[in-house]
Amino acid sequence: MPETYAGLAKPRPSTEAPEIPILDVPRSYEVRTFGCQMNVHDSERITGLLETAGYFPAPEGTDPDLVVFNTCAVRENADNKLYGHLSQLVPQKERNKDFQVAVGGCLAQKDQDTILEKSPVVDVVFGTHNIGSLPVLLERARHNEEAEIEILESLETFPSALPTKRDQAYAGWVSISVGCNNTCTFCIVPSLRGKEEDRRPGEILAEIRALVDQGAVEVTLLGQNVNSYGVSFGDRQAFSKLLRACGEIEGLERVRFTSPHPAAFTDDVIDAMAETPNAVPQLHMPLQSGSDRVLREMRRSYRSRKFLGILEKVRERIPHAAITTDIIVGFPGETEEDFQDTMRVVEASRFSSAFTFQYSVRLGTPAGEREDQLPKAVVQERFERLLALQDRIAAEENAAIVGRTVELLVTANSGKKSGRTHRLSGRARDQRLVHFSVPEGAQAPRPGDFVTVPVTGAAAYHLISDPRADQYGLRRSRGGDAWEREQAASCGTGAPGKPGQVSLGMPAIPVGPAPVSGA
């Protein structure tokens, strides 16, 4: 039965693109993205909408006619970060009355009118459910010469129906669902993104095929809880079937997904990962805590024994799988014994990397209202101990790979030291970051091409490869062709590092606090 409100069936989000008003005079824009992969993907949609409407990326070193903030609300200081950025735009607003500022994303969904009250520079506020309304709201605000706000309480249009400008032609996100049905006590995402809405498998596969036709060689399936996919149409094995169907798409070389939930992770998904040729040997499995008592307080409906059992099954079927995780330190009421339980599970899990977070209060969540919040000094000290443990494990796991030959998908972004080391960067099939050199006289790859190289060195967060000429293999790919076409078409405007751009793929491994995942 469809979900009902006051006796009325809840409408399914539209799969039709909204009508987009076209500017009379082209205007420049910049999109600034904060937060998780969902926000990165939403920013691709925002960028696509704006360019369809006649906006163009602001040339480097110039003031844009429009700045859009796509915000995150999972951190305690998220609002301070936003208002700090907004205050810096006051002089530009005073110089140019036609300059516009829009704020969208999770913080906009949460704070709504507060943003307009606190910042006079804002012209448009839109939420997570109505991204497609942005061009209309901008035109309305310009015409009426007053701020516009539109926040919907349920999804208006599936993001896939909106035009998209992807950051890299050789890889892309594909949303399989939006929203979340879980009730984790630390997470504000369900109240901002709504209940889970699943796309039909045919729509997803059609989008993936279209991406591949355009040159993409890697796709990441994206959802707040991907392995609950199918709940809205009653198929408990829908996600594993979707993975297997991806394996039949010619030209698609790598399929990833993020993020699953341990409580709903089933053996059929493990089997699909092991048996689908382009499903990569990498899994992001959020732990959050190794203490069963804390997991219960978090309303995470699994316990440490089940979590470790999942990892054991994955490694049994996929021996070289790299497993990453999310961990929260300092959840309200966490004792030293609870923390030691987390340390024990981390030691046993042998994660290749971990996104470790210091708990911070989220107003509007059950955990945020508890009175047993831990002192900052206690949380910091535990956080540093956990970081030291995971750094050691990651370094040991990476050191074990030295001497192995790996295939890398070359990325557009090189490491911070690339100017000095002259190394390029790529991702192995298991998502490990590898900085590699090209032997003298060998052909350099393009982003989107593949290279095969031996691992010659290792650190906690990356691997190094300095191959001899006879150890270096280059496979030029459709992804590299697509990247080259994109560069030629943009005349360089899409160069890596341009302000306002978003990046695809898993984020770099953090060495400090980072936003909490909703998974």
Side-chain angles (χ1 to χ4, degrees):
M1 291 292 290
E3 189 175 355
T4 60
Y5 295 87
L8 299 175
K10 177 186 174 183
R12 190 169 183 264
S14 172
T15 57
E16 299 295 324
E19 186 174 344
I20 300 172
I22 306 301
L23 294 173
D24 293 330
V25 178
R27 292 165 56 83
S28 63
Y29 77 91
E30 180 181 313
V31 177
R32 302 183 187 179
T33 307
F34 308 120
C36 66
Q37 297 98 323
M38 292 288 185
N39 278 26
V40 171
H41 192 40
D42 285 347
S43 287
E44 293 182 328
R45 305 296 183 186
I46 290 170
T47 300
L49 282 163
L50 293 175
E51 297 203 2
T52 300
Y55 292 83
F56 63 92
E60 191 168 357
T62 66
D63 289 335
D65 298 313
L66 165 68
V67 174
V68 181
F69 292 93
N70 189 11
T71 63
C72 173
V74 300
R75 293 297 301 276
E76 185 178 18
N77 64 350
D79 53 349
N80 293 333
K81 184 174 183 179
L82 170 66
Y83 295 123
H85 280 268
L86 290 173
S87 66
Q88 295 172 10
L89 297 178
V90 171
Q92 187 174 345
K93 191 77 168 179
E94 292 173 345
R95 290 193 306 269
N96 180 7
K97 65 181 181 63
D98 293 325
F99 172 57
Q100 288 190 299
V101 177
V103 177
C106 290
L107 192 63
Q109 188 76 26
K110 180 174 77 75
D111 287 355
Q112 303 189 12
D113 297 299
T114 304
I115 293 173
L116 293 181
E117 293 169 4
K118 288 188 174 183
S119 178
V121 304
V122 177
D123 299 279
V124 170
V125 179
F126 63 104
T128 59
H129 299 310
N130 62 322
I131 291 173
S133 300
L134 176 59
V136 172
L137 294 172
L138 288 167
E139 284 302 292
R140 192 183 300 162
R142 186 179 299 113
H143 179 272
N144 296 338
E145 297 184 349
E146 64 180 16
E148 293 286 335
I149 178 171
E150 183 177 284
I151 305 291
L152 303 185
E153 295 307 314
S154 61
L155 189 66
E156 180 180 56
T157 304
F158 269 121
S160 55
L162 304 177
T164 303
K165 182 184 178 184
R166 300 186 186 272
D167 188 52
Q168 300 295 350
Y170 55 81
W173 304 106
V174 174
S175 289
I176 68 171
S177 64
V178 293
C180 182
N181 294 336
N182 293 318
T183 58
C184 302
T185 59
F186 57 82
C187 185
I188 198 169
V189 168
S191 66
L192 303 180
R193 294 276 179 177
K195 292 292 186 181
E196 181 173 328
E197 297 277 2
D198 295 332
R199 295 174 64 194
R200 301 300 300 187
E203 296 173 5
I204 297 167
L205 294 170
E207 182 178 355
I208 295 173
R209 290 189 186 99
L211 278 173
V212 172
D213 288 343
Q214 294 162 15
V217 292
E218 178 179 284
V219 160
T220 301
L221 305 177
L222 186 63
Q224 208 69 48
N225 178 9
V226 291
N227 55 311
S228 68
Y229 172 73
V231 65
S232 64
F233 49 86
D235 186 348
R236 292 182 179 274
Q237 294 192 344
F239 184 61
S240 61
K241 292 175 183 176
L242 182 64
L243 275 181
R244 291 181 185 276
C246 287
E248 299 174 4
I249 298 177
E250 186 176 352
L252 180 60
E253 302 209 25
R254 295 184 179 184
V255 179
R256 306 186 185 280
F257 59 87
T258 192
S259 289
H261 192 296
F265 200 76
T266 49
D267 290 353
D268 62 296
V269 175
I270 300 174
D271 291 339
M273 291 176 64
E275 296 166 9
T276 303
N278 56 7
V280 299
Q282 181 257 333
L283 176 65
H284 185 73
M285 181 63 68
L287 170 64
Q288 307 300 10
S289 175
S291 163
D292 289 350
R293 189 191 70 81
V294 172
L295 288 171
R296 193 176 301 111
E297 296 289 315
M298 289 178 167
R299 288 191 202 146
R300 301 284 289 180
S301 47
Y302 58 89
R303 300 296 175 256
S304 58
R305 183 176 178 180
K306 176 172 182 174
F307 185 92
L308 290 170
I310 292 172
L311 270 53
E312 183 178 354
K313 288 180 181 178
V314 169
R315 286 174 170 141
E316 184 177 298
R317 295 285 277 125
I318 313 168
H320 293 299
I323 300 176
T324 60
T325 196
D326 298 334
I327 303 171
I328 299 171
V329 177
F331 184 80
E334 179 190 75
T335 65
E336 176 62 23
E337 182 179 357
D338 292 325
F339 177 69
Q340 287 300 326
D341 285 342
T342 295
M343 297 283 275
R344 281 190 286 271
V345 173
V346 169
E347 184 74 71
S349 297
R350 307 295 297 180
F351 298 117
S352 62
S353 65
F355 298 89
T356 50
F357 314 98
Q358 294 189 38
Y359 174 80
S360 60
V361 173
R362 282 90 172 155
L363 296 177
T365 64
E369 297 172 1
R370 291 178 53 158
E371 297 181 356
D372 53 351
Q373 306 292 331
L374 299 188
K376 170 65 176 176
V378 172
V379 178
Q380 180 67 35
E381 190 272 337
R382 289 178 184 171
F383 178 77
E384 291 174 1
R385 275 191 280 159
L386 176 60
L387 209 60
L389 172 63
Q390 178 53 41
D391 284 355
R392 173 179 63 77
I393 293 172
E396 291 170 354
E397 292 295 302
N398 279 350
I401 299 173
V402 173
R404 190 186 304 173
T405 297
V406 294
E407 182 184 61
L408 309 179
L409 173 58
V410 181
T411 61
N413 299 314
S414 297
K416 294 179 181 178
K417 299 179 181 178
S418 60
R420 177 170 56 83
T421 64
H422 304 293
R423 292 190 180 108
L424 303 177
S425 298
R427 293 281 180 177
R429 281 179 55 81
D430 65 6
Q431 192 61 6
R432 282 183 167 91
L433 175 64
V434 183
H435 300 304
F436 68 97
S437 58
V438 177
E440 186 175 353
Q443 185 179 10
R446 306 161 298 179
D449 285 338
F450 293 88
V451 296
T452 302
V453 293
V455 177
T456 58
Y461 300 112
H462 66 268
L463 300 170
I464 295 292
S465 176
D466 290 320
R468 301 188 309 266
D470 63 326
Q471 296 175 313
Y472 173 81
L474 167 63
R475 178 163 63 89
R476 292 170 67 86
S477 79
R478 298 166 57 258
D481 294 342
W483 181 87
E484 199 166 61
R485 288 194 303 270
E486 186 179 72
Q487 295 303 293
S490 65
C491 298
T493 58
K498 178 176 174 53
Q501 281 199 320
V502 294
S503 59
L504 297 177
M506 289 292 289
I509 305 304
V511 293
V516 170
S517 164

